[in-house]
Amino acid sequence: MLVSLADGPKHGYAIMDDIARLADTRIGPGTLYGALARLERLGLIESLPAEDRRRPYRLSAQGADLLQHELSGLQRIASAGLVRLAAQP
Amino acid sequence: MNAAWLVRLYPREWRDRYGDELADILSERASSPGLILDVLVGAFDAHLHPHLEPVPATQRGAFLLPRILRCRPTRGMLVGLLVYAGLVAGLGTLRRIYGFNFGLDFFYFAVNGALPLLWLSGSEPAPGLRSQTVRLMVVLPGAVLAGLVGTLLTNGPP
């Protein structure tokens, strides 16, 4: 969800569609809003003024820092794994 | 069939904040067993973790005690303690009348031991599997210990 918001604000429906494209899995609206509530409470995302009945969300500075940290860690692990696989006889 | 009515299953404070958005999405999607189950689980989760609800601006500056009393887990715990006190008083009386009863002692143990588990279910899980595992490792022995101590304190040694 944080990755989905990394390129700019999105409302709930757009986040679900983006996750379906990114991760090839479709999350339900109950799951989505449970996660949005948690992320907002943790200060990792922020809501913007609603447009019609849809409220866009964006990454907070704290959320962006956390995402950067987590993705860098994943990148290190993935790189190491690929190097080791390639080095196999 | 429009599944937007499922939003009513969420706590009122949660609906005030996210209800319109969720209803909007549900109204655009065809209802299916999977969708209904997903929303039901979400509503159950919102009731289990009411502290995830946003704190209204009017409450942010309130005194601590009224805020604690407004918190649903605290109210649930107070009601639970009242029910528990009633059970202890009632079953203790039965035990004095009928003497030792393994079933009653086991009941005391289960009720006392359930309190830490209730606390676990009502508290927000810490992120990460390791934290969850550590919490379970603390709470499960705590539940057994609370069951034993509570049974001895409220019932006397068998």
Side-chain angles (χ1 to χ4, degrees), chain B residues 55-95:
Chain B
V55 180
T58 51
Q59 287 183 19
R60 281 183 192 139
F63 291 111
L64 183 62
L65 185 60
R67 281 176 62 186
I68 289 173
L69 289 177
R70 266 198 294 269
C71 175
R72 194 170 292 133
T74 310
R75 289 203 302 263
M77 186 62 81
L78 288 175
V79 171
L81 284 174
L82 284 175
V83 172
Y84 175 67
L87 284 172
V88 166
L91 291 172
T93 306
L94 284 178
R95 189 175 194 266

Side-chain angles (χ1 to χ4, degrees), chain B:
Chain B
M1 190 180 111
N2 189 332
W5 62 271
L6 288 168
V7 175
R8 278 183 256 160
L9 299 175
Y10 281 81
R12 186 175 55 79
E13 293 86 350
W14 196 98
R15 284 200 313 267
D16 290 345
R17 174 64 185 80
Y18 301 103
D20 280 351
E21 298 169 59
L22 181 56
D24 187 50
I25 288 182
L26 290 174
S27 66
E28 291 184 13
R29 296 185 64 156
S31 164
S32 67
L35 177 78
I36 292 173
L37 181 66
D38 180 69
V39 179
L40 285 178
V41 171
F44 184 64
D45 178 58
H47 281 284
L48 270 184
H49 303 104
H51 51 288
L52 290 176
E53 294 160 7
V55 180
T58 51
Q59 287 183 19
R60 281 183 192 139
F63 291 111
L64 183 62
L65 185 60
R67 281 176 62 186
I68 289 173
L69 289 177
R70 266 198 294 269
C71 175
R72 194 170 292 133
T74 310
R75 289 203 302 263
M77 186 62 81
L78 288 175
V79 171
L81 284 174
L82 284 175
V83 172
Y84 175 67
L87 284 172
V88 166
L91 291 172
T93 306
L94 284 178
R95 189 175 194 266
R96 274 193 293 280
I97 294 171
Y98 295 110
F100 174 73
N101 183 322
F102 175 77
L104 285 183
D105 283 332
F106 179 75
F107 182 80
Y108 277 124
F109 175 80
V111 170
N112 283 295
L115 288 177
L117 294 176
L118 281 176
W119 168 80
L120 178 71
S121 69
S123 61
E124 169 63 359
L129 181 64
R130 185 177 163 78
S131 305
Q132 295 278 44
T133 310
V134 168
R135 278 157 56 88
L136 277 176
M137 286 168 62
V138 170
V139 168
L140 287 180
V144 175
L145 187 64
L148 287 172
V149 172
T151 305
L152 290 176
L153 285 178
T154 56
N155 214 17

Side-chain angles (χ1 to χ4, degrees), chain A residues 83-89:
Chain A
V83 167
R84 289 178 189 189
L85 265 181
Q88 266 193 342

